[in-house]
Amino acid sequence: MMRMVSAAETAPTTYPWAVQAEGLRVRAGRHLAVDGLDLALGVGVHGLLGPNGAGKTTLMRALATVVKPAGGRLTLLGESVDGRADLRRVRRGLGYLPQQFGFYPRFTVREFVEYMAWLKEMPKTMVPGAVQRAIDRVGLTAKAGARMKTLSGGMLRRAGIAQAIVNDPEVLLLDEPTVGLDPEQRLDFRELLRDIGVDSCVLVSTHLVEDVVAACTDVVLVNEGRLVHQGTPDSLIAEGGAGDAGDSPAERGYSALLRRHRAEAGK
Amino acid sequence: MTTHPNLAVIARYADGGPGLDEATVWSVEVHLETCADCRARLAGSTTGDTRTLLDRVAADLDRGIAAGPAPVRPHRPWSAVRRRWLVWALLPWLTMTVVVLGCAVLLESVRPGLPSLVLLLAPVAPLPGVAVAWSRRQDPAWELIAGTPAAGLTMLLRRTVAVLAVVVPALVLAGAGTGLSLALVLLPCLAFTAATIALGALVGVRRAAVGLVAVWVLAVVLPSLVTAGLPVVLRPGSAGVWALATVALAGFIGARADSFRRLSSHS
């Protein structure tokens, strides 16, 4: 579907990376879940991999400007967002799907996405069109008038993706977006990711290595709050040997990298 | 605007365009879109066939419109959608506040010897509502909202106003029913609301509300019930001090507006 492109969108950027973190530290409660992470992400689809408790969700929250970093530097879209910066401008260019997102059960899907578009301070005249487009893109057109409490898990997830992409974000953060999607919907979702990743920076956190290999241009592997590996899916595959655990080349690469990182940390 | 085509060209265009090349037809059409005079000329040159065709189309359209679904009602105003969650989340708390105030009025009429309970409770009356209005436990979509540009002091103030819109009239009624000075009922109430938000900038709104209620009850309400006398802070001369405190706290809130950009872990 078509939409108008404003002059501001086609203007060249003045920053090298959409997301840049240097020595980033973020607390989850008392625990330092992200500890000295260096990361630079440009345009494209980046898959964030890591075991449970690696700090993926905490990192996502910090990038979404929901929690304040405890230390280090974090720059989003060329603007510093650590400390007491004014986050409004950056937030207008963000899309965020939390791992567990709450919603107002009485809202319909359309009201929910409209409400989020309003919170993202989109111009009033653009909201109805953008909402319809977002709902169409995630395949919820037939359910647009249904109340949120009547949706299944996969549909809720897609409604969450719709609110994340409604403002055509320059940085899109999706925390576990494929949970509850059936195989066909996952294929559609990968298509959507590739589509959005053409001109924005998309970071997708997931447990599913095959999702990353299939849909991402870049793999980011974190463990215990630190960056373990960043490169193309092929570089992840190249790390794996025949003796490593896993059923696919990418999974073998994943487990090889993690094993090596743990061995280094244990020294 | 393009040059006006001559009448002969328009007449031939109206006749279905015999002898006109495609480029001429296009330029005529582009011109017609912007020129009302030439459209009128075109209407004058239409043939009988075209007019019957137009009449038939118009009749068909009218029939289709009459048979089709009724136009969708225009959207309810944003505020109605927006406040729906808040209304439901606040309802029990505000009901409780109003009931407690009602009990205070009753008790005052039954036991006139005690210091005015309405006066003692007025400062903390809006605090439970304010705490609920800005709490991640009560707002299911807090993580989504916390990452949007609209999140911040403005949103907190809007929700606080919603609370005050119920509590202040209730206090005015209670005050009028017991013949108290309105300034002494309302000014401490506003000062405590401002103090909650100001303290909330430092420790989180919910903690601030709980702390202020506890301090007020322990330091003022209980001693004055024990001694059966009105405390110094609520004697008629203190209204000016309360007004001054409200203004000072409001100034502090304005200076710390950026503290409300994130829903920190303690809100």
Side-chain angles (χ1 to χ4, degrees), chain A residues 13 26-27 29 65 77 84-85 93 97 110-111 121 128 139 168 180 194 251 258 265:
Chain A
T13 55
V26 191
R27 263 179 232 289
T65 71
L77 302 172
R84 298 178 59 186
L97 173 70
R110 189 186 303 281
E111 279 173 337
E121 299 186 337
D168 289 301
R194 283 188 212 109
E251 278 177 2
L258 272 186

Side-chain angles (χ1 to χ4, degrees), chain A:
Chain A
M1 200 183 282
M2 305 287 283
R3 73 176 179 95
M4 291 284 281
V5 176
S6 69
E9 277 177 88
T10 52
T13 55
T14 51
Y15 45 85
W17 306 102
V19 174
Q20 191 169 20
E22 284 167 38
L24 184 69
R25 284 182 291 132
V26 191
R27 263 179 232 289
R30 297 235 168 103
H31 169 65
L32 208 53
V34 175
D35 188 5
L37 182 95
D38 298 305
L39 190 65
L41 303 176
V43 166
V45 183
H46 310 270
L48 181 63
L49 284 173
N52 283 327
K56 298 194 296 288
T57 293
T58 308
L59 174 63
M60 284 294 204
R61 278 187 178 169
L63 295 183
T65 71
V66 173
V67 296
K68 193 149 101 183
R73 289 191 47 210
L74 178 60
T75 316
L76 292 178
L77 302 172
E79 290 192 44
S80 170
V81 295
D82 38 13
R84 298 178 59 186
D86 184 18
L87 304 166
R88 247 173 122 154
R89 210 139 62 92
V90 170
R91 280 180 173 174
R92 284 197 197 122
L94 286 185
Y96 174 45
L97 173 70
Q99 190 170 27
Q100 283 142 356
F101 78 100
F103 54 88
Y104 306 130
R106 266 178 265 266
F107 275 32
T108 65
V109 174
R110 189 186 303 281
E111 279 173 337
F112 170 67
V113 181
E114 270 177 353
Y115 180 50
M116 289 309 295
W118 175 80
L119 286 175
K120 291 178 182 199
E121 299 186 337
M122 293 180 70
K124 228 175 189 168
T125 50
M126 283 173 62
V127 168
V131 167
Q132 187 62 49
R133 213 165 64 88
I135 292 176
D136 290 345
R137 283 178 99 177
V138 298
L140 276 181
T141 316
K143 282 281 180 183
R147 296 215 185 280
M148 295 290 282
K149 61 182 168 190
T150 65
L151 299 187
S152 70
M155 286 178 186
L156 270 181
R157 216 71 209 143
R158 285 188 278 155
I161 298 168
Q163 66 78 23
I165 62 174
V166 70
N167 56 335
D168 289 301
E170 288 160 82
V171 175
L172 179 61
L173 307 159
L174 302 170
D175 202 349
E176 303 278 358
T178 50
V179 173
L181 298 190
D182 65 38
E184 194 190 358
Q185 288 163 356
R186 261 172 51 203
L187 294 181
D188 291 342
F189 174 69
R190 287 176 190 170
E191 194 57 47
L192 176 67
L193 276 189
R194 283 188 212 109
D195 191 22
I196 298 170
V198 170
D199 56 358
S200 13
C201 170
V202 185
L203 184 62
V204 191
S205 130
T206 178
H207 281 111
L208 301 169
V209 180
E210 68 265 36
D211 269 355
V212 171
V213 176
C216 298
T217 53
D218 190 42
V219 180
V220 178
L221 178 58
V222 292
N223 186 33
E224 286 164 357
R226 285 164 193 277
L227 185 69
V228 177
H229 176 83
Q230 185 175 6
T232 60
D234 289 333
S235 76
L236 180 75
I237 291 169
E239 295 287 338
D244 293 305
D247 294 327
S248 68
E251 278 177 2
R252 283 193 281 276
Y254 171 81
S255 50
L257 278 168
L258 272 186
R259 186 170 42 76
R260 222 173 301 150
H261 183 256
R262 284 186 183 130
E264 276 168 29
K267 257 184 229 166

Side-chain angles (χ1 to χ4, degrees), chain B residues 107-251:
Chain B
L107 216 62
E108 260 187 68
S109 56
V110 175
R111 299 276 304 274
L114 278 178
S116 167
L117 271 176
V118 174
L119 210 51
L120 285 174
L121 289 180
V124 293
L127 265 46
V130 172
V132 170
W134 197 248
S135 140
R136 70 151 79 170
R137 287 172 207 212
Q138 297 291 333
D139 190 345
W142 71 271
E143 198 172 351
L144 285 177
I145 291 174
T148 60
L153 183 60
T154 326
M155 189 177 247
L156 171 57
L157 289 182
R158 200 184 295 128
R159 293 181 172 188
T160 307
V161 167
V163 174
L164 289 178
V166 176
V167 172
V168 167
L171 282 175
V172 168
L173 280 181
T178 50
L180 294 164
S181 137
L182 270 188
L184 267 187
V185 176
L186 294 185
L187 282 175
C189 161
L190 291 180
F192 261 70
T193 310
T196 307
I197 296 175
L199 202 58
L202 307 173
V203 299
V205 173
R206 205 174 58 90
R207 273 193 201 174
V210 171
L212 283 172
V213 170
V215 167
W216 180 255
V217 167
L218 289 177
V220 178
V221 177
L222 288 182
S224 61
L225 286 181
V226 170
T227 59
L230 209 56
V232 179
V233 287
L234 289 176
R235 298 232 171 102
S238 57
V241 180
W242 286 110
L244 214 64
T246 312
V247 173
L249 287 166

